Short mmCIF file of all heavy atoms in Angstrom, two decimals:
data_model
loop_
_atom_site.label_atom_id
_atom_site.label_comp_id
_atom_site.label_asym_id
_atom_site.label_seq_id
_atom_site.Cartn_x
_atom_site.Cartn_y
_atom_site.Cartn_z
N MET F 1 14.37 -2.94 -21.44
CA MET F 1 14.60 -4.36 -21.41
C MET F 1 13.45 -5.09 -20.71
O MET F 1 13.25 -6.27 -20.95
CB MET F 1 15.93 -4.67 -20.71
CG MET F 1 17.15 -4.21 -21.49
SD MET F 1 17.25 -4.89 -23.14
CE MET F 1 17.74 -6.55 -22.79
N ILE F 3 10.31 -4.80 -21.18
CA ILE F 3 9.28 -5.20 -22.12
C ILE F 3 9.67 -6.49 -22.83
O ILE F 3 8.81 -7.32 -23.14
CB ILE F 3 8.95 -4.07 -23.13
CG1 ILE F 3 7.68 -4.40 -23.92
CG2 ILE F 3 10.11 -3.81 -24.06
CD1 ILE F 3 6.43 -4.49 -23.09
N ILE F 4 10.96 -6.70 -23.07
CA ILE F 4 11.41 -7.93 -23.71
C ILE F 4 11.11 -9.13 -22.80
O ILE F 4 10.65 -10.17 -23.27
CB ILE F 4 12.91 -7.85 -24.07
CG1 ILE F 4 13.10 -6.80 -25.17
CG2 ILE F 4 13.44 -9.21 -24.52
CD1 ILE F 4 14.53 -6.49 -25.49
N ALA F 13 4.20 -18.43 -22.34
CA ALA F 13 2.94 -18.83 -21.72
C ALA F 13 1.89 -19.14 -22.78
O ALA F 13 1.14 -20.12 -22.66
CB ALA F 13 2.44 -17.75 -20.77
N LEU F 16 2.63 -22.55 -24.25
CA LEU F 16 2.25 -23.60 -23.30
C LEU F 16 0.73 -23.74 -23.19
O LEU F 16 0.20 -24.85 -23.11
CB LEU F 16 2.86 -23.32 -21.93
CG LEU F 16 4.37 -23.48 -21.82
CD1 LEU F 16 4.85 -23.00 -20.45
CD2 LEU F 16 4.78 -24.91 -22.07
N ALA F 28 -4.84 -24.76 -18.60
CA ALA F 28 -4.53 -23.67 -19.53
C ALA F 28 -5.06 -22.35 -19.00
O ALA F 28 -4.38 -21.32 -19.03
CB ALA F 28 -5.12 -23.97 -20.91
N LEU F 30 -5.68 -21.61 -15.82
CA LEU F 30 -4.89 -21.24 -14.64
C LEU F 30 -3.53 -20.67 -15.05
O LEU F 30 -3.08 -19.68 -14.47
CB LEU F 30 -4.71 -22.44 -13.72
CG LEU F 30 -5.96 -22.89 -12.98
CD1 LEU F 30 -5.70 -24.20 -12.24
CD2 LEU F 30 -6.43 -21.82 -12.02
N LEU F 31 -2.91 -21.28 -16.04
CA LEU F 31 -1.62 -20.78 -16.52
C LEU F 31 -1.77 -19.37 -17.08
O LEU F 31 -0.95 -18.48 -16.80
CB LEU F 31 -1.05 -21.72 -17.59
CG LEU F 31 0.30 -21.34 -18.18
CD1 LEU F 31 1.37 -21.25 -17.10
CD2 LEU F 31 0.70 -22.34 -19.24
N LYS F 46 7.63 -0.56 -10.82
CA LYS F 46 7.57 0.56 -11.75
C LYS F 46 6.42 1.50 -11.39
O LYS F 46 6.55 2.72 -11.45
CB LYS F 46 7.40 0.06 -13.18
CG LYS F 46 8.50 -0.85 -13.65
CD LYS F 46 9.79 -0.12 -13.79
CE LYS F 46 10.86 -1.06 -14.31
NZ LYS F 46 12.20 -0.51 -14.22
N GLN F 52 5.71 7.85 -6.80
CA GLN F 52 6.62 8.73 -6.06
C GLN F 52 6.90 10.01 -6.84
O GLN F 52 6.91 11.10 -6.27
CB GLN F 52 7.91 7.99 -5.73
CG GLN F 52 7.75 6.90 -4.69
CD GLN F 52 9.03 6.09 -4.51
OE1 GLN F 52 10.04 6.33 -5.16
NE2 GLN F 52 8.97 5.13 -3.60
N VAL F 63 -0.27 21.29 -5.27
CA VAL F 63 -1.59 20.79 -5.68
C VAL F 63 -2.20 20.07 -4.50
O VAL F 63 -1.52 19.38 -3.75
CB VAL F 63 -1.45 19.82 -6.89
CG1 VAL F 63 -2.77 19.16 -7.22
CG2 VAL F 63 -0.89 20.55 -8.08
N PHE F 67 -6.76 15.72 -4.90
CA PHE F 67 -6.90 15.57 -6.35
C PHE F 67 -6.02 14.42 -6.85
O PHE F 67 -6.47 13.55 -7.59
CB PHE F 67 -6.51 16.85 -7.08
CG PHE F 67 -7.49 17.97 -6.91
CD1 PHE F 67 -7.08 19.19 -6.43
CD2 PHE F 67 -8.83 17.79 -7.25
CE1 PHE F 67 -7.99 20.22 -6.28
CE2 PHE F 67 -9.74 18.82 -7.10
CZ PHE F 67 -9.32 20.03 -6.61
N GLU F 69 -4.62 11.91 -5.16
CA GLU F 69 -5.05 10.62 -4.62
C GLU F 69 -6.27 10.10 -5.35
O GLU F 69 -6.34 8.92 -5.70
CB GLU F 69 -5.35 10.74 -3.12
CG GLU F 69 -4.12 10.93 -2.26
CD GLU F 69 -4.47 11.20 -0.81
OE1 GLU F 69 -5.65 11.08 -0.43
OE2 GLU F 69 -3.54 11.52 -0.05
N GLY F 76 -6.25 3.32 -10.86
CA GLY F 76 -6.15 1.97 -10.32
C GLY F 76 -7.41 1.17 -10.57
O GLY F 76 -7.35 0.00 -10.97
N ILE F 80 -7.50 -2.31 -12.77
CA ILE F 80 -7.95 -3.54 -12.13
C ILE F 80 -9.22 -4.07 -12.80
O ILE F 80 -9.34 -5.27 -13.05
CB ILE F 80 -8.16 -3.32 -10.61
CG1 ILE F 80 -6.80 -3.09 -9.95
CG2 ILE F 80 -8.88 -4.51 -9.98
CD1 ILE F 80 -6.89 -2.60 -8.52
N GLY F 92 -14.22 -17.13 -21.32
CA GLY F 92 -15.45 -17.33 -22.07
C GLY F 92 -16.68 -16.74 -21.42
O GLY F 92 -17.80 -17.06 -21.80
N GLY F 94 -18.08 -13.52 -21.33
CA GLY F 94 -18.18 -12.14 -21.79
C GLY F 94 -19.21 -11.32 -21.04
O GLY F 94 -19.03 -10.13 -20.81
N SER F 95 -20.29 -11.96 -20.64
CA SER F 95 -21.35 -11.25 -19.92
C SER F 95 -20.85 -10.75 -18.56
O SER F 95 -21.10 -9.60 -18.18
CB SER F 95 -22.56 -12.17 -19.73
OG SER F 95 -23.55 -11.53 -18.98
N LEU F 102 -18.66 -2.42 -16.28
CA LEU F 102 -19.69 -1.49 -15.83
C LEU F 102 -19.44 -1.07 -14.38
O LEU F 102 -19.53 0.12 -14.05
CB LEU F 102 -21.08 -2.11 -15.98
CG LEU F 102 -22.25 -1.26 -15.47
CD1 LEU F 102 -22.36 0.02 -16.29
CD2 LEU F 102 -23.54 -2.05 -15.51
N LYS F 105 -16.65 1.41 -14.23
CA LYS F 105 -17.07 2.75 -14.69
C LYS F 105 -17.90 3.46 -13.63
O LYS F 105 -17.74 4.66 -13.41
CB LYS F 105 -17.86 2.63 -15.99
CG LYS F 105 -17.00 2.21 -17.16
CD LYS F 105 -17.83 1.92 -18.39
CE LYS F 105 -16.94 1.38 -19.50
NZ LYS F 105 -17.73 0.97 -20.68
N MET F 109 -16.94 6.90 -11.62
CA MET F 109 -17.84 8.05 -11.54
C MET F 109 -18.03 8.48 -10.08
O MET F 109 -18.00 9.68 -9.76
CB MET F 109 -19.20 7.69 -12.16
CG MET F 109 -20.13 8.87 -12.32
SD MET F 109 -21.61 8.49 -13.27
CE MET F 109 -22.25 7.06 -12.46
N ILE F 113 -16.75 12.31 -8.10
CA ILE F 113 -17.71 13.29 -7.58
C ILE F 113 -17.06 14.42 -6.77
O ILE F 113 -17.39 15.58 -6.98
CB ILE F 113 -18.83 12.58 -6.77
CG1 ILE F 113 -19.74 11.84 -7.75
CG2 ILE F 113 -19.63 13.56 -5.94
CD1 ILE F 113 -20.79 10.98 -7.09
N ILE F 126 -16.63 32.06 -9.19
CA ILE F 126 -16.07 32.99 -10.17
C ILE F 126 -17.14 33.80 -10.86
O ILE F 126 -16.97 34.99 -11.13
CB ILE F 126 -15.20 32.22 -11.21
CG1 ILE F 126 -13.97 31.64 -10.52
CG2 ILE F 126 -14.80 33.13 -12.35
CD1 ILE F 126 -13.16 30.72 -11.42
N ALA F 129 -22.89 37.09 -9.32
CA ALA F 129 -24.18 36.66 -8.80
C ALA F 129 -25.33 37.24 -9.48
O ALA F 129 -25.68 37.90 -10.23
CB ALA F 129 -24.30 36.99 -7.32
#
Side-chain angles (χ1 to χ4, degrees):
M1 292 304 285
I3 191 64
I4 293 173
L16 290 173
L30 289 173
L31 181 59
K46 301 292 182 192
Q52 290 174 359
V63 173
F67 289 125
E69 289 173 9
I80 292 169
S95 177
L102 177 64
K105 290 172 185 175
M109 189 171 52
I113 288 174
I126 293 173

